[in-house]
């Protein structure tokens, strides 16, 4: 029996010690050899460092000032410093990380979920938010949870203002449980409701989301020859507009699928002018090692509202984008851009931050 | 978003209040030496009782900011929530932009203070104001920065749900219906949602998101509104109306819990579900787990503000600024130093608006 007694005592001692350690505030729930990356203090990793692409150089450090002793003041001074770094990239050529590139692809539609009684959800997904006239709209719906769902599900497209039904379709259930169907965006430009109706637990439930139908703004007609001007890689994009107006073009510049920069340009277009130059500044290009062709993707052109109350109209380039062989990029330098208004803004912010 | 009382008395007082439209504050109403322009958020009552004219819109705008910022502002851009951003809201705003330009109020750079949907309206105006004003032969406004409280520029899931509720007359999910009614102040119908249409997450995130050079300083709340009934229907953490993904300026509507991946809304130093990326020139400054959606405008004290510290290096120096860092044990933790928290010292003795104003005008 003494052995059993000793074992029982040892068990009780070990259990008490273990419970104590478990309940200690020092127990973070992580094994130390797995938690090297766990933050030890508030100086955490920035989710998306604004200082640009990896390897880019920062401007020459300014002489260190006396640091702030005020928390909010420190944050404002920090923002001023970050802003001063950010404006070294001109707004027409901003550096992209993969994460930021995802957010700036334009024309995104994130799935919309409708909670059902209990823990169920009724979710509808589209490929995009804006569709050009006569384009097909692929609708995908799913229901999760313990609800009883009918075999049939339908989708209808209704004008947001007049409430006319533009198109309707039955959704068919695929083997993986999703319901799919297709509608056609054959309607006047404007805002529309996508109404997906299902019978759930014997009741008709409508999932409603918004999409837009855009006018045909014109035709993209490829790229011109890229060249170097000043400290920019200039990429001419041919677009023949159907109507004159003030247009804004945005696109992402990629190297083998890796995002480099978000490019933007604004220009008045008419029948005599059908090219918009996108420019990639030396501050995003100089440290790139480009071998072969570059890609331009996620082209989005907008006809900006001529006056307040007018609608912004949207057009899109080909899904596959364009690729081109860049000229020799050697002459591009990682020199900060110069925008007097932004520099003045940075100086004012800095002056404000200097108080702290 | 704020709720307000009836507007009958304001109509009677319209003639008296007319001068309050633009010069909303007094002569010393500046922030860090710059004129302040206010852009308010969604006003529920406009959906049930749309304003009859711009003067009623302005009167409601004046009411919106009365708690704190009204007397500290130089101009306002007021708009009716029954309208759409790319519709009557833009038209109403432009009338006021013209006046601000003619008065030269932004010749030496203004600071915009926005709340909630005012963030989305501001973003749209910043994209278009220069072109519109130049077309009218006027000088574009020079904006130094925008201070965005509980910014709804990324939309809110409540608006997504309001649309479905509007098309489901007899739908049975009662808690959801009550949450949407609390948010909109009405029984939603397909044609009466006004600016709530623009607040759908996909609609908001497809409107005027092109980068510009105006810094957006983000102030984020995480408290409860409407007795907490809206919280279960918003992705990630929220302030009862606006999700944190929107208030921080995250580039997607994926639900997140904090603006920082290493600091919670309450200031706890810990791994957090933070944004994978932020919109250009969006800088989260403070978070406050206890402040409600409207409380950030000056009506609530007792809540701790947390600096969104991602990097403690400033001008090449590593800084230990005077944020209060302390450790706290949970009730079930028997011993040890506890969790580490960061906060703005004494921030619970004031509200976020006063904190910002006093700091900048110190």
């Amino acid at each position: 029996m003494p052995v059993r007694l000793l074992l029982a005592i040892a068990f009780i001692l070990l259990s008490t010690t273990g419970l104590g350690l478990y309940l200690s505030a020092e127990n973070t729930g992580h094994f130390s050899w797995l938690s090297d990356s766990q933050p030890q203090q508030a100086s955490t990793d920035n989710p998306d460092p604004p200082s640009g692409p990896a390897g880019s150089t920062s401007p020459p450090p300014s002489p260190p000032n006396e640091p702030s002793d005020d928390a909010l003041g420190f944050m404002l001074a920090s923002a001023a410093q970050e802003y001063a770094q950010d404006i070294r990239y001109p707004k027409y050529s901003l550096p992209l990380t993969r994460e930021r590139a995802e957010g700036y692809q334009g024309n995104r539609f994130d799935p919309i979920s409708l909670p059902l009684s209990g823990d169920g959800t009724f979710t509808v997904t589209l490929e995009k938010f804006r569709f050009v006239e006569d384009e097909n709209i692929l609708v995908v719906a799913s229901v999760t949870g313990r609800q009883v769902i009918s075999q049939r599900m339908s989708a209808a497209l209704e004008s947001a203002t007049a409430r006319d039904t533009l198109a309707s379709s039955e959704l068919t259930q695929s083997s993986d449980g999703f319901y799919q169907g297709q509608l056609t965006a054959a309607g006047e430009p404007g805002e529309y409701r996508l109404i997906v109706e299902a019978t759930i637990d014997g009741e008709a439930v409508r999932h409603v989301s918004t999409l837009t139908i855009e006018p045909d703004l014109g035709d993209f007609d490829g790229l011109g020859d890229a060249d170097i001007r000043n400290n920019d890689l200039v990429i001419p994009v041919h677009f023949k507009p159907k109507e004159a107006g003030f247009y804004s073009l945005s696109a992402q510049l990629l190297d083998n699928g890796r995002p480099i920069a978000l490019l933007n340009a604004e220009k008045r277009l008419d029948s005599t002018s059908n090219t918009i130059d996108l420019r990639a500044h030396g501050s995003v290009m100089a440290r790139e090692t480009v071998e072969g062709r570059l890609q331009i993707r996620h082209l989005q052109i907008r006809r900006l509202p001529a006056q307040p109350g007018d609608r912004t109209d949207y057009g899109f380039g080909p899904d596959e984008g364009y690729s081109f062989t860049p000229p020799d990029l050697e002459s591009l330098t990682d020199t900060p851009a110069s925008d007097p208004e932004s520099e003045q803004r940075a100086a004012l912010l800095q002056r404000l931050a200097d108080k702290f | 978003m704020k709720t307000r009382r009836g507007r009958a008395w304001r109509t009677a007082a319209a003639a008296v209040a007319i001068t309050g439209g633009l010069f909303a504050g007094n002569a010393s109403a500046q922030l860090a030496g710059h004129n302040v322009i206010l852009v308010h958020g969604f006003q529920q009552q406009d959906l049930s009782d749309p304003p009859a004219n711009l003067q009623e819109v302005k009167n409601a705008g004046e009411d919106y900011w009365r708690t704190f910022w009204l007397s500290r502002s130089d101009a306002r851009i007021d708009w009716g929530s029954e309208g759409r951003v790319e519709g009557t809201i833009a038209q109403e705003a432009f009338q006021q932009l013209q006046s601000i330009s003619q008065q030269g109020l932004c010749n030496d750079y203004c600071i915009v203070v926005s709340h909630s949907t005012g963030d989305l309206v501001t973003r749209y105006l910043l994209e278009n104001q220069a072109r519109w004003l130049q077309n009218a032969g006027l000088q574009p406004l020079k904006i130094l920065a925008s201070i965005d409280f509980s910014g709804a520029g990324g939309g809110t899931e409540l608006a997504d749900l309001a649309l479905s509720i509007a098309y489901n007359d007899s739908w049975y999910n009662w808690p959801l219906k009550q949450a949407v009614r609390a948010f909109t102040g009405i029984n939603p119908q397909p044609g009466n949602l006004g600016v709530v249409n623009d607040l759908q997450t996909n609609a908001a995130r497809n409107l005027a998101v092109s980068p510009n050079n105006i810094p957006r300083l983000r102030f984020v709340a995480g408290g409860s509104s409407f007795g907490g009934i809206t919280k279960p229907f918003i992705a990630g953490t929220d302030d009862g109306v606006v999700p944190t993904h929107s208030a921080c300026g995250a580039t997607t509507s994926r639900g997140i819990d904090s603006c920082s991946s290493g600091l919670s809304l309450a200031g706890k130093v810990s791994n957090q579900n933070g944004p994978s990326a932020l919109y250009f020139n969006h800088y989260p400054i403070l978070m406050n787990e206890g402040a409600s959606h409207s409380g950030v405008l000056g009506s609530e004290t007792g809540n701790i503000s947390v600096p969104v510290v991602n990097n403690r290096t400033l001008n090449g120096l590593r800084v230990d600024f005077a944020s209060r860092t302390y450790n706290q044990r949970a009730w079930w933790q028997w011993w040890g130093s506890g969790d580490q928290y960061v906060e703005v010292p004494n921030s619970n003795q004031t509200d976020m608006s006063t904190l910002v104003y006093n700091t900048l005008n110190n």
Side-chain angles (χ1 to χ4, degrees), chain B residues 13 35 38 53 79 87 99 108 111 121 130 139 144 168 195 204 222 232 235 254 262 271 288 357 360:
Chain B
N35 287 333
L38 306 177
N53 50 47
W79 50 274
S99 300
D108 185 30
I111 293 177
V121 172
Q139 198 68 20
L144 176 59
N168 279 281
V195 78
R254 183 178 59 84
N271 281 328
N288 188 314
Y357 183 82
L360 284 172

Side-chain angles (χ1 to χ4, degrees), chain A residues 25, chain B residues 327-339:
Chain B
N327 290 54
Q328 182 172 293
R329 285 203 304 268
W331 62 268
W332 49 265
Q333 293 172 325
W334 291 1
W335 58 70
S337 54
D339 298 316

Side-chain angles (χ1 to χ4, degrees), chain B residues 141-316:
Chain B
L141 307 190
K142 289 159 84 173
I143 309 294
L144 176 59
S146 180
I147 294 174
D148 305 311
F149 291 101
S150 299
T156 169
E157 289 77 11
L158 292 176
D160 296 336
L161 300 172
L163 195 65
S164 284
I165 293 295
Y167 284 80
N168 279 281
D169 291 338
S170 61
W171 193 38
Y172 62 102
N173 195 337
W174 188 85
L176 172 57
K177 218 163 192 170
Q178 295 313 306
V180 166
R181 280 181 184 157
F183 165 57
T184 59
I186 56 169
N187 279 325
Q189 300 295 319
N192 70 355
L193 286 171
V195 78
V196 173
N197 287 292
D198 295 304
L199 287 173
Q200 294 170 78
T201 48
N202 284 316
R205 289 175 179 278
N206 276 287
L207 182 69
V209 286
S210 279
N212 59 47
N213 280 341
I214 315 290
R216 310 293 301 263
L217 310 179
R218 316 292 287 186
F219 294 83
V220 178
S224 276
S225 306
F226 313 116
I229 64 171
T230 50
K231 273 192 173 287
F233 304 108
I234 305 175
T237 56
D238 60 88
D239 61 13
V241 176
V242 170
T244 300
H245 67 71
S246 174
C248 299
T251 53
T252 72
S253 60
R254 183 178 59 84
I256 58 171
D257 295 332
S258 169
C259 298
S260 163
S261 55
L263 202 59
S264 76
L265 284 181
K268 181 177 173 181
V269 179
S270 53
N271 281 328
Q272 293 291 314
N273 176 20
S276 55
L278 297 171
Y279 284 128
F280 286 108
N281 288 331
H282 281 58
Y283 308 108
I285 304 292
L286 290 185
M287 305 184 289
N288 188 314
E289 189 184 44
S292 69
H293 182 69
S294 298
V296 296
L297 294 184
S299 61
E300 282 178 4
T301 58
N303 302 307
I304 290 169
S305 288
V306 175
V308 189
V309 191
N310 283 317
N311 185 346
R312 286 198 178 205
T313 305
L314 189 64
N315 289 333

